[in-house]
């Protein structure tokens, strides 16, 4: 086959004219007149082809929100619903648009699941891109895309890719899982062209003992390259259809879908179909890639997100890895919030949607119930995939053989439909569906909740509302943070959506059938509060007077907590009139959550929720501004270097938007740093104090101790994630936060109130030295600041003392204004400083008592919780007032 067969993108080889796609007319939904199961019709050139061809791609462009991300080279369709903010791209099409496109999805609307940035591969580099076939094989080799196309027989067939997270939003509403909220459109179907992997493996000749085939992509992520594995046996089985693909719907691969070459594994979750392929490695054991272990698993339902953090062996258990898809289905029409007239001409409504199963199994029935499963009716099923099986021998599409006639397996979704009299819909309170496959596996009634929220497949349920002369239909959820759906509504009204009856009360039976919610969740709302709050009302509380904020659609008044908030009133002001759900849940303890009902004042109305959700997709920011930090918006800074300062600590340097930009952080305050869990995209947010000078321009430095996992302890979530971010990637910052600020000459502001301090006792340990250092530096750098400082710094070993040199230089140049005492709990023989922990005797000796005779003294503390607790007890005994001891 000739090289020029690699079609340039956006100039389709076929069809040359736009294919007509049978579309459901949205405007006619009130009358219900529309055509049934969608199929693309064919262009003139392909008139003889008796199977569906893809819809034509539209013209795409780089979206403004991608300009500042590593994906600024990728053109995308603006209709895609972004599920994880701006970057990386994880998105699905609106369900109706996806269904209306028909059996095949255009690359424009195909869902995308990227764990990180999209590797760059220019058009002219496509053919020279190489990947290896290596490991337990007799003849390892490296192959270019050119070789792949020229030297091997090509095949083309349709495959539905499904993300294991499809429909996860439903799980997240029952209980938040460690994954972002996919709606029911996390699947798409395309015609893939490439080479059966068995042909490459036959050439490489696996050796005895080889059992797995690992794949690795070119995307370098926080925990290494994305990679996973499947069984060698499956790769060798032609019926499984595992392919190394270089074309999608007749075009060279779009960058989001693996340009220039990827694996396609029919019937299995999309997570195994590695994009931007660099290595195929034949092994004895399953992949040890981080993403193979910590992603795409269904752990047992009793394992909570918190417990899962300490169970490395459970994660590694291959029994919990997901390969084949499970049986699943969704209703596409009626759409969410669709209205159907009761007194119109329409007598029946065509209820329809999609279904799929895994491992090549066929959907053999789709059943619909209007009475909660007491009785069922059969829908008709249409398998467009079968039409490809009728292709004549020798038929080729996009340079690949279309030889599907012999294949028994099903790789694609199917469509189902059922005409239901409208009077029957009017008598019912919901429509539910379940699919069954040829292995007689039917979708379950009840959800199997698990920590990653994957493979969610209970009966798909639409609620029917009778509104005046119309019926209105309500889907279970809406994707991402979009509000809407009966699950959220029922949960907010206090219903138990895990009771097996969709939150409805059924008296006795309910007791008998109750499904345990996976561990009690803490309620943050006050069930007596009934007020609905509009966006306009919320926005009136966006300042420092009566700040209101939103968590999970509920409105809270932060005013009574301004003085007591450990992060200072600024943290509450920064959240005023915003939806701070993600941040709130990432930072706050269960205790803090349990306090929330006291501050709950109402529920945000639907319009306001949509408006806030739209805002939460990081807004375009003015990158020319002189101050980097913004209190209410996350700003991106580029990680430009990592330098080791000890065996477990590093200085992380970030580049701001421009050389003249300053951070904008008052002395003593902190910034919030936001990273995302590499597999689940869950936010990890912590407060840090930079060590760079407060007036530094263009850059930002942090010294961070990395808490690496050991055999007995899981590592620090934040520090491990930060350490694994490659240089050149962006990290989000927001601020300032903190209740303490040092304004110079002894003037402090504490939760907005001012006081003068003559003497500071500064107590720190480990990386707690950073806020202490910034206050010390502010005092010493100003020669006429007469405030005295005693720094007490406790560590384990000499190597653990962070910023030692700067501390000592400052003290030396302080003209007696500062004293410094280091103490080590595990000192070496040659250590000349203090020995032992910072305990009662130590503090009695070095800290001194509280201020007397008009002298004002204050203790500043930053370190681990154990140190803070000890200081609290000891200093109370030493007669220090509570308000003179401040914990950062
Ligand atoms: N391959 C690489 N190299 N990197 C990735 O992040 N994501 C996987 C898989 N292959 C991923 C990858 C996941 S989880 C899915 S569901 C599919 O790609 C999605 O494929 P698509 O984005 O083309 O729809």
């Amino acid at each position: 086959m000739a090289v020029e067969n690699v079609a340039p993108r956006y100039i389709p080889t076929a069809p040359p004219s736009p294919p007509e796609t049978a579309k459901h007319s949205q405007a006619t939904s009130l009358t219900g007149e529309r055509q049934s199961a969608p199929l693309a019709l064919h262009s003139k050139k392909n008139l003889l082809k008796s199977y569906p061809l893809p819809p034509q791609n539209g013209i795409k462009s780089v979206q403004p929100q991608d300009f500042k991300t590593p994906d600024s080279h990728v053109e995308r369709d603006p209709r895609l619903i972004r599920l994880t903010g701006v970057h990386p791209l994880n998105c699905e099409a609106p369900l109706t648009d996806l269904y209306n496109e028909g059996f095949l999805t255009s690359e424009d609307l195909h869902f995308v699941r990227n764990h990180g940035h999209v590797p760059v591969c220019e058009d002219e580099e496509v053919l020279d891109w190489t990947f290896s076939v290596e490991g337990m094989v007799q003849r390892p080799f490296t192959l270019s895309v050119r070789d792949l196309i020229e030297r091997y027989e090509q095949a083309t067939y349709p495959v539905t890719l499904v993300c294991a997270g499809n429909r996860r939003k439903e799980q997240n509403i029952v209980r938040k899982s460690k994954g972002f909220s996919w709606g029911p459109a996390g699947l798409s179907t395309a015609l893939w062209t490439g080479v059966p992997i068995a042909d490459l493996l036959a050439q490489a000749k696996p050796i005895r003992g080889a059992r797995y085939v690992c794949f690795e992509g070119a995307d370098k992520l926080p925990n290494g390259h994305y990679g996973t594995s499947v069984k060698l046996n499956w790769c060798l089985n032609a019926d499984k259809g595992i392919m190394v693909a270089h074309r999608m719907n007749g075009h060279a691969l779009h960058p989001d879908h693996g340009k220039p070459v990827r694996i396609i594994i029919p019937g299995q979750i999309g997570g195994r179909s590695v994009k931007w392929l660099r290595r195929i490695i034949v092994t004895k054991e399953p992949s040890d890639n981080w993403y193979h272990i910590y992603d795409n698993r269904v752990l047992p339902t009793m394992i909570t997100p918190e417990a899962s953090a300490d169970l490395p062996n459970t994660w590694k258990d291959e029994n919990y890895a997901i390969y084949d898809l499970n049986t699943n289905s969704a209703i596409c029409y009626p759409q969410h919030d669709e209205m159907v007239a009761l007194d119109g001409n329409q007598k029946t409504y065509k209820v329809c949607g999609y279904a799929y199963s895994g491992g090549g199994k066929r959907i053999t029935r789709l059943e619909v119930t209007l009475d909660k499963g007491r009785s069922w009716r059969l829908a008709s099923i249409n398998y467009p995939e079968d039409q490809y099986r009728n292709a004549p021998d020798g038929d080729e599409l996009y340079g690949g053989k279309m030889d599907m006639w012999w294949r028994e397996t099903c790789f694609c979704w199917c469509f189902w439909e059922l005409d239901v009299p409208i009077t029957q819909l009017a008598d019912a309170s919901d429509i539910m569906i379940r699919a069954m496959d040829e292995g007689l596996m039917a979708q379950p009634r009840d959800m199997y909740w698990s920590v990653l929220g994957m493979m969610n497949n209970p009966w798909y349920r639409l609620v029917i509302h009778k509104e005046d002369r119309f019926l209105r239909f309500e889907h279970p959820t809406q994707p991402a943070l979009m509000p809407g759906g009966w699950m959220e509504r029922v949960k907010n009204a206090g219903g138990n959506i895990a009771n097996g009856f969709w939150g409805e009360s059924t008296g006795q039976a309910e007791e008998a059938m109750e499904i345990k919610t996976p561990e009690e969740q803490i309620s943050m709302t006050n069930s007596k509060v009934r007020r609905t709050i509009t966006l306009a009302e919320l926005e009136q509380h966006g300042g420092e007077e009566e700040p209101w904020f939103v968590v999970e659609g509920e409105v809270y008044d932060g005013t009574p907590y301004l003085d007591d908030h450990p992060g200072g009133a600024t943290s509450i002001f920064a959240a005023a009139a915003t939806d701070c759900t993600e941040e709130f849940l990432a930072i706050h303890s269960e205790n803090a959550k349990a306090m929330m009902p006291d501050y709950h004042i109402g529920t945000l109305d639907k319009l306001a929720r949509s408006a806030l959700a739209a805002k939460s997709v990081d807004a375009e920011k003015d990158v020319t501004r002189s101050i980097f930090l913004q209190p209410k918006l996350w700003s991106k800074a580029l990680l430009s270097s990592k330098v080791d300062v000890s065996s477990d600590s590093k200085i992380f340097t970030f580049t701001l938007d421009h050389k003249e930009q300053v951070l904008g952080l008052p002395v003593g305050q902190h910034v919030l740093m936001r990273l995302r869990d590499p597999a689940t995209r869950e936010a990890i947010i912590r407060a840090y104090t930079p060590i760079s000078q407060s007036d530094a321009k263009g850059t930002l430095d942090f010294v961070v101790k990395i808490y690496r996992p050991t055999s007995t302890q899981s590592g620090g979530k934040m520090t491990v994630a930060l350490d694994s971010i490659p240089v050149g990637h962006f990290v989000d910052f927001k601020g300032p936060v903190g209740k303490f600020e040092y304004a110079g000459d002894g003037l402090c502001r504490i939760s907005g109130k001012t006081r003068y301090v003559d003497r500071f006792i500064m107590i720190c340990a480990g990386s707690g030295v950073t806020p202490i250092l910034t206050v010390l530096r502010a005092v010493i750098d100003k020669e006429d600041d007469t405030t005295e400082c005693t720094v007490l710094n406790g560590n384990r070993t000499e190597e653990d003392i962070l910023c030692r040199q700067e501390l000592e230089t400052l003290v030396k140049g302080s003209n007696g204004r500062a004293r410094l005492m280091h103490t080590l709990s595990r000192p070496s023989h040659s250590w000349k400083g203090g020995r032992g922990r910072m305990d009662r005797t130590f503090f009695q000796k070095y800290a001194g008592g509280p201020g007397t005779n008009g002298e004002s003294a204050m203790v500043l503390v930053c370190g681990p919780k154990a140190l803070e607790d000890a200081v609290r007890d000891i200093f109370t005994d030493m007669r220090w007032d509570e308000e003179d001891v401040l914990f950062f």
Side-chain angles (χ1 to χ4, degrees), residues 110-116 161-164 182 188 192 216-219 221 226-227 248 256-258 262 269-277 295-296:
H110 197 287
F111 83 91
V112 178
R113 171 71 178 104
N114 291 342
H115 283 72
L161 286 184
V162 185
C163 183
W182 287 98
S188 308
W192 298 95
E216 201 177 275
D219 44 340
L221 303 167
Y226 184 85
M248 171 186 188
D256 274 328
H257 299 294
R262 73 175 298 172
I269 54 161
R272 309 280 168 233
S273 292
V274 171
K275 304 190 271 192
W276 313 297
L277 181 68
D295 202 357
N296 293 317

Side-chain angles (χ1 to χ4, degrees), residues 474-622:
E474 191 183 27
H475 277 238
T477 63
Q478 291 292 284
L481 298 176
M482 287 160 69
W486 64 263
M487 294 188 75
E488 188 178 74
R489 176 176 53 75
V490 170
K491 185 167 182 182
N492 288 344
N496 172 8
I497 42 179
N499 73 348
F501 291 94
W502 310 281
E504 291 172 9
S505 174
T506 58
Q508 288 294 309
E510 187 178 357
E511 300 293 323
M513 298 281 293
E514 187 173 0
I515 300 167
K516 291 269 173 289
T517 314
E519 215 174 77
E520 270 316 298
Q521 260 182 289
I522 290 168
S523 166
M524 301 205 295
T525 54
N526 176 347
S527 57
K528 295 201 187 91
V529 169
R530 293 267 173 263
R531 179 172 171 191
T532 303
I533 291 172
T534 63
L535 188 61
E537 283 176 287
L538 178 75
E539 280 174 347
Q540 280 166 13
H541 294 269
E544 300 199 353
E545 205 141 294
E546 296 191 357
W548 293 2
F549 58 92
V550 177
V551 179
E552 295 183 316
E554 302 297 328
V555 184
Y556 300 85
D557 181 359
T559 319
Y561 200 53
L562 287 175
D563 287 345
D564 298 332
H565 192 285
T570 46
S571 324
I572 300 180
F573 298 147
T578 69
D579 183 340
C580 56
T581 305
E582 188 179 60
E583 212 167 301
F584 183 91
L585 299 178
I587 296 177
H588 291 87
S589 65
E590 304 284 88
N591 286 348
K593 289 175 193 162
M595 289 164 66
M596 293 301 277
D598 292 348
Y599 305 94
H600 182 216
I601 54 166
T603 303
L604 209 55
D605 76 15
K606 214 165 154 186
L607 272 176
R609 289 193 66 184
S610 307
L612 282 189
K615 266 197 208 165
S616 76
V617 171
D618 303 11
E620 256 301 276
K621 280 152 216 147
D622 171 17

Side-chain angles (χ1 to χ4, degrees), residues 398-711:
Y398 310 135
K401 244 172 63 183
M402 172 63 70
D403 61 342
M404 286 199 28
W405 64 269
W406 54 271
R407 212 188 283 280
E408 285 293 336
T409 37
C410 288
F411 294 165
C412 299
W413 62 350
C414 63
F415 299 113
W416 58 268
E417 59 183 41
L418 178 71
D419 286 321
V420 183
I422 290 192
T423 49
Q424 292 182 6
L425 290 176
D427 287 341
S429 56
D430 50 21
I431 316 175
M432 286 189 267
I433 58 163
R434 68 175 179 208
M436 191 187 274
D437 71 11
E438 61 186 288
L440 301 187
M441 288 305 297
Q443 285 176 254
R445 186 189 69 160
D446 300 328
M447 172 182 293
Y448 188 90
W449 185 94
S450 72
V451 75
L452 291 180
M454 290 178 156
M455 305 296 269
N456 185 50
N457 74 335
W459 301 351
Y460 196 88
R461 173 175 187 253
L462 256 56
V463 169
I464 307 174
H465 297 276
K466 277 132 224 157
E467 291 181 356
D468 197 8
R469 291 172 299 107
F470 294 96
L471 297 180
R472 182 172 63 82
F473 297 89
E474 191 183 27
H475 277 238
T477 63
Q478 291 292 284
L481 298 176
M482 287 160 69
W486 64 263
M487 294 188 75
E488 188 178 74
R489 176 176 53 75
V490 170
K491 185 167 182 182
N492 288 344
N496 172 8
I497 42 179
N499 73 348
F501 291 94
W502 310 281
E504 291 172 9
S505 174
T506 58
Q508 288 294 309
E510 187 178 357
E511 300 293 323
M513 298 281 293
E514 187 173 0
I515 300 167
K516 291 269 173 289
T517 314
E519 215 174 77
E520 270 316 298
Q521 260 182 289
I522 290 168
S523 166
M524 301 205 295
T525 54
N526 176 347
S527 57
K528 295 201 187 91
V529 169
R530 293 267 173 263
R531 179 172 171 191
T532 303
I533 291 172
T534 63
L535 188 61
E537 283 176 287
L538 178 75
E539 280 174 347
Q540 280 166 13
H541 294 269
E544 300 199 353
E545 205 141 294
E546 296 191 357
W548 293 2
F549 58 92
V550 177
V551 179
E552 295 183 316
E554 302 297 328
V555 184
Y556 300 85
D557 181 359
T559 319
Y561 200 53
L562 287 175
D563 287 345
D564 298 332
H565 192 285
T570 46
S571 324
I572 300 180
F573 298 147
T578 69
D579 183 340
C580 56
T581 305
E582 188 179 60
E583 212 167 301
F584 183 91
L585 299 178
I587 296 177
H588 291 87
S589 65
E590 304 284 88
N591 286 348
K593 289 175 193 162
M595 289 164 66
M596 293 301 277
D598 292 348
Y599 305 94
H600 182 216
I601 54 166
T603 303
L604 209 55
D605 76 15
K606 214 165 154 186
L607 272 176
R609 289 193 66 184
S610 307
L612 282 189
K615 266 197 208 165
S616 76
V617 171
D618 303 11
E620 256 301 276
K621 280 152 216 147
D622 171 17
V623 292
T624 61
R625 65 188 189 280
S626 56
I627 295 178
F628 174 74
L629 279 183
Q630 305 186 90
K632 294 196 180 193
L633 290 178
W634 290 100
S635 305
K636 290 191 182 309
L638 187 99
L639 177 60
S640 45
S641 80
K642 292 187 211 179
V643 175
D644 288 331
V645 286
S646 72
S647 61
D648 60 2
S649 301
K650 292 184 186 184
I651 293 181
F652 293 82
T653 301
F654 293 87
T655 307
L656 305 184
D657 291 317
H658 58 86
K659 285 200 174 105
E660 290 304 308
Q661 197 172 46
V662 292
L663 178 63
L665 185 71
V667 172
Q669 300 230 306
H670 327 288
V671 299
L672 290 179
M673 188 190 291
R674 179 175 74 180
L675 307 176
R676 292 195 176 274
D677 182 295
T680 64
R681 309 301 308 149
E682 228 189 346
I684 316 173
I685 302 172
R686 299 281 185 277
Y688 281 98
T689 316
I691 53 158
S692 36
Q693 301 281 347
S694 55
D695 55 357
K697 289 183 178 171
T699 61
L700 176 57
D701 296 331
F702 295 91
V703 63
V704 178
K705 183 173 159 133
I706 323 288
Y707 294 92
R708 299 200 174 92
T710 64
S711 55

Side-chain angles (χ1 to χ4, degrees), residues 778-793:
V779 173
I780 305 304
D781 280 355
K782 197 157 179 287
E783 279 174 17
D784 53 357
D785 188 333
T786 54
T787 317
E788 285 176 31
C789 303
T790 301
V791 182
L792 306 177
N793 190 7

Side-chain angles (χ1 to χ4, degrees), residues 123 155 177 188 199 207 224 241 341 343 378 406 479 511 518 570 794 857 861:
D123 286 348
S177 71
S188 308
D199 295 356
I207 58 178
D343 50 5
L378 279 178
W406 54 271
E511 300 293 323
T570 46
V861 192

